[in-house]
Amino acid sequence: MDPARLARELDEFLVSSPHACVIEEGEILFDFSVARYSISGEHGKCLLHLWSPERNMVRRIVDIEHKAQQLRLAVQRLGKGKPTWLDVVSSRERRAPTVQRQARLAYQRWLQRVLERSFPEWGVQDITSSADLEHSLSSVYCRGLLRRGHSRICFLGVNDSELQASIDGALTFALLWLDFCRRRESERGVVECLRVFVPRGRSAVVHARMHWLDRQAARFELYEFDERAEELFHIDISDQGNIATRLVRCADNAKACQRFAASIARVRAAVPECETVVLSSSELAFRLHGLEFARAQVATSESFTFGEQIVFGSCAHETVLSPESEPLFLELMQRVRRDRGPDGDRRSPLWRMQPERWLESQTKRNVSALDARLDPAQVYAQVPAFAASDRGMIDLLARTHDGRLAVLELKADEDIHLPLQGVDYWSRVKWHHQREEFHGFGYFVDSEGHTRALSHEPPLLLLVAPALHIHPATDTLLRFLSHEIDWTLIAVDEHWREEIKVVFRKRRSQLAAGLG
């Protein structure tokens, strides 16, 4: 088995399945949203090394087999004649569609029973878990109406067997259901309230998002549902909840580049056009058009002496550069230069990987093209400030020329959750700004240590996506955001990999007037 081929095959698979999992003997051992892997060809053997916070393992790979949404790796185990299989599957969700459907129908019955018992004066009607693709309503969620005379309350719930990402996304679909019900019921009654039901102990993200909805648009209520006990627990959304957020100190670029001068010279000899991004005082990343393909980091030896090492690979792939792995390193460097560019091979996984990071890189380079108010002198990418969900970074953080903070949420592909994910980061930046933490952590401070003034106004929220990849439901969702959020939807030209050009901008005032 050729190590370079294994690297290419895994790259290709993980492009379309970034949250893939590794299964051995029926057990999920690694989730690539947190796990990492390296590949080596020592002594003529192709070795795959997998590790995560929970475990560490090495397997000798002798063959690869493709199946639907699955990559099968033939493993030669010591002392065993026949190879065994290591399966790389596209998602942790392994339930068959029929099993998923049964779980959702069972939840629908439980929720209906609890609603009838908890709100006896209201009739439960139109409850369903069927998909409605025309109105962007997913089968993951159970939805329906509570009716009493001319009054209506629409509701949406998600069961405890769903992935956390589906639970976090419940509010997006709940707002679309509310909008649909209001239009459908307009001649028969008034839909005055939206109730959202999420599993017990898993409401943090939905809670944080609901706090920033426009209370004049509707009455919003959040409940946690304990399915085992069939009990509801009301959550007060007027309280912002426990904000799991932190800032990481802005690294000193000059010192880090000086520290890793030898590694920078080594990588730039192979990829001269790469950009260096300081991650911390002990780690520096090499990127090309947003794609990280190598890192320089401080490593310790068995004698506890500190040294410099280069780790290379894309996505979850991390192989230490050594004499044995140098052929893999050089092969990857050649592919990165050839494929990661506007004129690269669009079929290549390196061209298709991490399009949002590519858009981020282009935007950061010319942020004023998005909005002339933004100061290009200090723009920060991937600022850690949100830890309540699996996404932990603000895409871009900037300031206007008059000192107002601006949060930029970027989507290169169509994403129905763009508005509410933008609210996630906006609320965290607002929280840190109110506590005057940015200067203390080294943000908006020049090379001589002088701070740039920050306005006391709440941050701006800029939602950026290619014009043809803005989800049709985006306008509907934006109408429900609090008036405290000064948002702008910015559509860029589809050829953004070559140059950032704004096609149109849309603000709250335009949306309310039906313009833009």
Side-chain angles (χ1 to χ4, degrees):
M1 181 67 202
D2 178 19
R5 180 191 168 199
L6 177 60
R8 289 194 298 270
E9 296 276 7
L10 283 170
D11 276 352
E12 178 72 38
F13 188 84
L14 293 176
V15 168
S16 55
S17 305
H19 300 292
C21 296
V22 177
I23 299 175
E24 188 174 53
E25 297 179 349
E27 180 185 0
I28 295 179
L29 298 182
F30 298 96
D31 183 336
F32 281 119
S33 60
V34 293
R36 296 292 180 265
Y37 71 91
S38 67
I39 298 170
S40 65
E42 299 173 14
H43 309 296
K45 299 176 181 179
C46 180
L47 301 179
L48 175 64
H49 178 195
L50 294 151
W51 69 94
S52 72
E54 291 78 31
R55 55 177 60 88
N56 190 318
M57 80 178 197
V58 178
R59 295 289 185 264
R60 180 187 174 189
I61 309 300
V62 295
D63 200 4
I64 298 178
E65 180 181 302
H66 291 270
K67 294 184 72 174
Q69 296 187 322
Q70 185 173 334
L71 198 62
R72 304 203 77 197
L73 308 180
V75 175
Q76 186 65 60
R77 304 286 291 274
L78 186 65
K80 293 190 177 183
K82 293 183 64 175
T84 57
W85 292 99
L86 203 64
D87 294 322
V88 185
V89 298
S90 60
S91 170
R92 180 178 284 272
E93 175 59 89
R94 298 175 60 206
R95 296 176 298 166
T98 53
V99 175
Q100 293 178 24
R101 180 65 179 158
Q102 288 170 359
R104 290 163 185 170
L105 288 174
Y107 174 80
Q108 180 178 313
R109 291 191 294 269
W110 293 334
L111 184 58
Q112 180 167 357
R113 188 160 58 241
V114 169
L115 291 173
E116 289 172 342
R117 187 174 67 238
S118 302
F119 309 104
E121 69 277 19
W122 294 83
V124 181
Q125 297 184 14
D126 302 330
I127 190 167
T128 181
S129 297
S130 300
D132 181 349
L133 299 181
E134 181 183 353
H135 299 99
S136 301
L137 297 170
S138 170
S139 61
V140 171
Y141 307 99
C142 173
R143 59 192 187 275
L145 275 178
L146 297 174
R147 293 183 179 177
R148 186 180 64 183
H150 291 288
S151 296
R152 307 284 190 272
I153 295 175
C154 67
F155 64 85
L156 180 140
V158 56
N159 73 74
D160 200 20
S161 67
E162 303 293 348
L163 299 177
Q164 186 62 45
S166 296
I167 295 170
D168 293 346
L171 184 57
T172 293
F173 294 97
L175 293 173
L176 296 178
W177 176 236
L178 169 60
D179 180 71
F180 173 79
C181 290
R182 281 184 163 174
R183 287 185 281 109
R184 188 188 65 179
E185 301 287 318
S186 61
E187 296 182 1
R188 292 175 285 184
V190 178
V191 182
E192 60 192 48
C193 177
L194 168 65
R195 286 180 180 157
V196 181
F197 300 91
V198 297
R200 185 72 167 148
R202 301 174 71 183
S203 67
V205 171
V206 176
H207 182 185
R209 292 175 177 178
M210 287 187 82
H211 178 79
W212 293 106
L213 296 180
D214 180 3
R215 310 297 171 80
Q216 296 180 349
R219 192 169 79 249
F220 300 103
E221 297 179 2
L222 175 63
Y223 292 84
E224 290 189 344
F225 178 24
D226 186 331
E227 295 172 28
R228 185 182 298 272
E230 294 195 0
E231 288 186 77
L232 296 178
F233 300 86
H234 182 258
I235 306 297
D236 181 10
I237 63 169
S238 64
D239 173 13
Q240 202 169 344
N242 295 322
I243 297 182
T245 182
R246 64 188 179 92
L247 281 177
V248 172
R249 178 166 292 279
C250 188
D252 188 319
N253 285 9
K255 287 184 179 179
C257 289
Q258 183 178 3
R259 181 175 201 172
F260 291 110
S263 294
I264 293 172
R266 176 73 179 86
V267 174
R268 281 191 169 156
V271 186
E273 59 271 67
C274 74
E275 55 186 308
T276 58
V277 180
V278 177
L279 304 176
S280 70
S281 60
S282 60
E283 199 166 29
L284 179 146
F286 297 95
R287 296 176 185 168
L288 185 61
H289 298 299
L291 176 66
E292 182 176 314
F293 61 88
R295 285 192 184 195
Q297 58 191 26
V298 174
T300 57
S301 66
E302 293 180 357
S303 60
F304 298 100
T305 57
F306 291 90
E308 199 176 320
Q309 72 177 17
I310 294 174
V311 177
F312 66 92
S314 53
C315 291
H317 180 193
E318 295 182 1
T319 296
V320 176
L321 178 58
S322 65
E324 293 79 15
S325 65
E326 185 161 7
L328 271 177
F329 171 77
L330 294 175
E331 194 267 349
L332 175 62
M333 298 304 105
Q334 290 173 354
R335 287 196 293 127
V336 165
R337 290 200 72 191
R338 182 188 68 220
D339 297 341
R340 188 68 173 187
D343 299 324
D345 183 358
R346 297 191 177 200
R347 297 168 298 178
S348 166
L350 294 176
W351 193 90
R352 292 183 287 122
M353 277 180 187
Q354 301 180 357
E356 285 175 21
R357 287 289 186 90
W358 197 334
L359 179 57
E360 171 198 298
S361 174
Q362 290 287 80
T363 302
K364 186 174 185 290
R365 189 176 293 113
N366 188 16
V367 72
S368 298
L370 282 184
D371 194 317
R373 294 175 295 175
L374 299 178
D375 182 356
Q378 287 178 311
V379 182
Y380 302 92
Q382 298 297 306
V383 178
F386 184 49
S389 76
D390 58 348
R391 299 182 76 245
M393 301 287 179
I394 301 165
D395 288 340
L396 290 175
L397 178 65
R399 68 186 284 277
T400 63
H401 290 287
D402 59 1
R404 190 172 182 182
L405 287 173
V407 179
L408 286 75
E409 176 69 2
L410 312 173
K411 295 294 180 188
D413 296 315
E414 187 174 284
D415 192 327
I416 197 170
H417 300 292
L418 170 62
L420 292 182
Q421 285 182 351
V423 171
D424 287 340
Y425 301 113
W426 177 90
S427 65
R428 269 61 193 176
V429 170
K430 183 175 186 292
W431 192 86
H432 288 291
H433 183 43
Q434 287 175 333
R435 287 152 183 79
E436 300 182 348
E437 293 183 355
F438 285 106
H439 287 155
F441 279 83
Y443 295 92
F444 305 104
V445 179
D446 64 25
S447 57
E448 297 179 356
H450 301 131
T451 59
R452 291 177 175 257
L454 296 177
S455 165
H456 292 293
E457 289 185 273
L460 299 170
L461 174 60
L462 307 183
L463 305 169
V464 183
L468 299 180
H469 288 78
I470 295 175
H471 196 282
T474 299
D475 281 2
T476 299
L477 296 168
L478 288 170
R479 287 190 178 96
F480 286 108
L481 298 188
S482 167
H483 289 266
E484 292 184 57
I485 304 174
D486 188 352
W487 58 261
T488 303
L489 177 64
I490 302 176
V492 297
D493 183 84
E494 294 297 317
H495 301 289
W496 54 264
R497 286 180 174 85
E498 300 166 16
E499 183 183 2
I500 294 291
K501 293 181 180 179
V502 174
V503 176
F504 68 81
R505 294 181 180 85
K506 186 179 294 183
R507 296 182 172 87
R508 172 180 289 278
S509 57
Q510 293 174 294
L511 194 63
L515 304 174

